[in-house]
Amino acid sequence: MEPNQESRSLIKASIISFAIAILALVFFILPAEYNLDPTGVGKQLGLTVFNGDTAAGGDSQISNNQASGEQNSVVLTVPAGKGIEYKLSVKQFKKVNYEWLTDGGEVYVDLHGEPAGDTTGYFESYAIATLPEMKGSFTAPFDGSHGWYWKNTSSKDMQIQLLFDGDYVIEGLK
Amino acid sequence: MSVKFKLSYLLYPLLLLMALASVEAFAHGVDSSTRNFLQNNSGVQIIPFMYIGAKHMVTGYDHLLFLVGVLFFLHRSKDVLLYVSMFTIGHSVTLMTGVLANIQVNAYLIDAIIGLSVVYKGFDNLGGFKHFLGKQPDPKAAVLIFGLFHGFGLATKIQEFQLPQEGLVANLLAFNIGVELGQFMALLFILLGINYWRRHQSFNKFAKTTNTALMSAGFMLVGMQLTGYFIN
């Protein structure tokens, strides 16, 4: 540690370090981390891509959006006393394998499908149960939106981990 | 001598790999598979918790930056051991009490303070405090105090997972041991790198630049975390 530092050089070092930090924050870090992009530089550089549309309603982490063959995994939060839906778009006669489990306790589940283009509110349930976990598969009887409705009847928020693979396009949380 | 010289070349790709690994992970962030594990685990699981603790230290660039700052001018192994122990004591105390006493501190604010610790150490290394205050504030005490804040940061992250009470103490101890192992690994690489560099002219030539860069990185962390605090 050099004791004879000039004040001037110290102040210069501090100002330079601060200025570089501000520039990096404004141009790169804030656009990438928070989608805050006052100068527009972040967007031009494509740094705001990390803040695309994220699924509403909880902590979802989708490892892959488009899938065929590879397994997808998502962790969903079902708030106490509330229900959520997680859907996949599946073509007729295509198969989906799935497995889900809660972080403790049972949850009401309705695995069902809604035909594409239907506006009457019709849906067909494949399984209705109250369970802490479930494993299985289904083959879509028609083109449309297929997936799970979970309702958390307890007074504590619940996490569900869902694993699935097959032939589908993820629609996500509804 | 020539063998030594060649061996040390291996360090660069290794350091580069470490740097890449750090970019992969958020400072303090926990990736989704780790999150899955933490939320679905039950009972005592020593090795997984140790692993998470170690991974956290090796990939947490805010901790690593602070360590670089602390180690920059230490070359006696006695000093290294002493300073690292102060840091370890600091963060172990707050990590354990924070979780067990259920003390919640806003993670953004804690992380901003950790950023500030990097700025502090960079300025200290430049001789700033000694110059402006007439004397350097006790660097061991500073490391201990910032160690306490770093531990609060770890505690706050761990608490977000609402770990089951069953086996909590054992799991926390395992996590803490993992943190130390990870820190030890990170230290080893940082020390090897710095000690190798110290033997070259460029070390002294770039000492000022390096510590200015350290301060700058610290300011970036502070800015990023404070922004996060205000918009969330």
Side-chain angles (χ1 to χ4, degrees), chain B residues 91-105:
Chain B
H91 71 232
S92 300
V93 166
T94 38
L95 168 60
M96 297 301 286
T97 49
V99 178
L100 294 177
N102 213 4
I103 302 168
Q104 298 270 3
V105 191

Side-chain angles (χ1 to χ4, degrees), chain A:
Chain A
M1 291 166 226
E2 297 154 29
N4 297 321
Q5 284 281 3
E6 298 274 338
S7 298
R8 227 181 52 186
S9 100
L10 274 170
I11 291 168
K12 199 174 125 196
S14 303
I15 290 174
I16 289 174
S17 70
F18 192 71
I20 292 173
I22 294 290
L23 292 177
L25 277 166
V26 172
F27 290 139
F28 313 119
I29 299 175
L30 298 187
E33 299 294 333
Y34 306 117
N35 210 13
L36 284 178
D37 193 16
T39 61
V41 171
K43 198 177 172 72
Q44 296 235 308
L45 295 173
L47 279 171
T48 48
V49 289
F50 304 116
N51 295 283
D53 297 331
T54 43
D59 280 326
S60 64
Q61 278 136 9
I62 295 161
S63 52
N64 200 336
N65 247 339
Q66 296 280 332
S68 60
E70 62 186 298
Q71 192 171 58
N72 281 271
S73 159
V74 62
V75 176
L76 305 158
T77 304
V78 195
K82 295 246 163 64
I84 61 162
E85 276 201 301
Y86 191 84
K87 289 300 186 59
L88 309 171
S89 171
V90 190
K91 294 259 187 260
Q92 193 175 27
F93 306 138
K94 296 295 180 190
K95 191 177 164 190
V96 175
N97 301 302
Y98 66 89
E99 183 175 1
W100 58 260
L101 76 164
T102 70
D103 61 344
E106 297 185 330
V107 65
Y108 171 85
V109 63
D110 181 350
L111 173 62
H112 63 276
E114 293 153 30
D118 181 85
T119 51
T120 61
Y122 169 81
F123 65 92
E124 186 170 328
S125 291
Y126 314 135
I128 296 176
T130 301
L131 293 167
E133 63 187 303
M134 196 171 179
K135 188 174 180 172
S137 66
F138 64 85
T139 303
F142 43 76
D143 284 5
S145 177
H146 304 261
W148 299 261
Y149 168 77
W150 286 284
K151 186 166 164 76
N152 178 0
T153 51
S154 76
S155 56
K156 237 184 101 193
D157 288 0
M158 188 179 268
Q159 305 270 345
I160 291 179
Q161 182 181 10
L162 170 65
L163 304 165
F164 51 102
D165 62 68
D167 236 331
Y168 49 77
V169 174
I170 293 176
E171 292 179 359
L173 277 172
K174 291 275 167 110

Side-chain angles (χ1 to χ4, degrees), chain B residues 15-26:
Chain B
L15 286 173
L16 195 73
L17 268 178
M18 297 253 307
L20 284 175
S22 311
V23 174
E24 281 285 308
F26 264 142

Side-chain angles (χ1 to χ4, degrees), chain B residues 12 29 38 55 70 89 107 110 116 119-120 146 150-151 212-213 221 228:
Chain B
Y12 292 117
L38 285 172
K55 185 174 168 183
V70 170
I89 292 168
I110 286 290
L116 209 59
V119 177
Y120 178 96
F146 283 124
H150 281 244
T212 307
L221 287 173

